[in-house]
Amino acid sequence: MKENNQALLSLIKSCKRGKRASQKELYQQFYSYGMSICLRYAKNREEAQEVLNDGFVKVFKNLDKYNYNLSFKGWLRKILVNVSIDYYRKHHK
């Protein structure tokens, strides 16, 4: 598990430097996990996809705020839940 953790940290650091290939890899690595979260809040798959993409934009903009001592999945989950709730408030009045 430690090796996998190091690979993830390396990937995150690469994303912070703006490497598109690393951002794509991070997106692909956590796509299923993120989609499972977004589908709980969305009306349909297309809406969940939109929320997921908005969430990842927010993740990439705020990677400098990520604390390496905490779980990346937990941090990602919190962002996706908040983006889902914001989306719901904006589009389902």
Side-chain angles (χ1 to χ4, degrees), residues 26-39:
L26 189 73
Y27 179 86
Q28 290 173 339
Q29 205 171 336
F30 288 95
Y31 175 85
S32 297
Y33 176 73
M35 198 62 168
S36 69
I37 294 166
C38 294
L39 282 168

Side-chain angles (χ1 to χ4, degrees), residues 10-74:
S10 176
L11 186 60
I12 291 169
K13 286 176 183 175
S14 184
C15 288
K16 283 174 79 171
R17 289 191 300 271
K19 304 271 191 225
R20 292 279 185 216
S22 298
Q23 290 175 344
K24 182 179 179 184
E25 189 178 333
L26 189 73
Y27 179 86
Q28 290 173 339
Q29 205 171 336
F30 288 95
Y31 175 85
S32 297
Y33 176 73
M35 198 62 168
S36 69
I37 294 166
C38 294
L39 282 168
R40 293 181 193 142
Y41 294 89
K43 283 196 305 186
N44 55 46
R45 195 160 188 82
E46 291 76 30
E47 195 173 275
Q49 182 72 54
E50 189 175 337
V51 170
L52 179 67
N53 289 338
D54 290 349
F56 267 101
V57 166
K58 199 166 195 173
V59 164
F60 292 130
K61 283 183 179 177
N62 292 293
L63 266 179
D64 56 322
K65 296 177 184 169
Y66 170 64
N67 181 348
Y68 293 109
N69 298 321
L70 302 175
S71 160
F72 180 75
K73 267 188 163 180

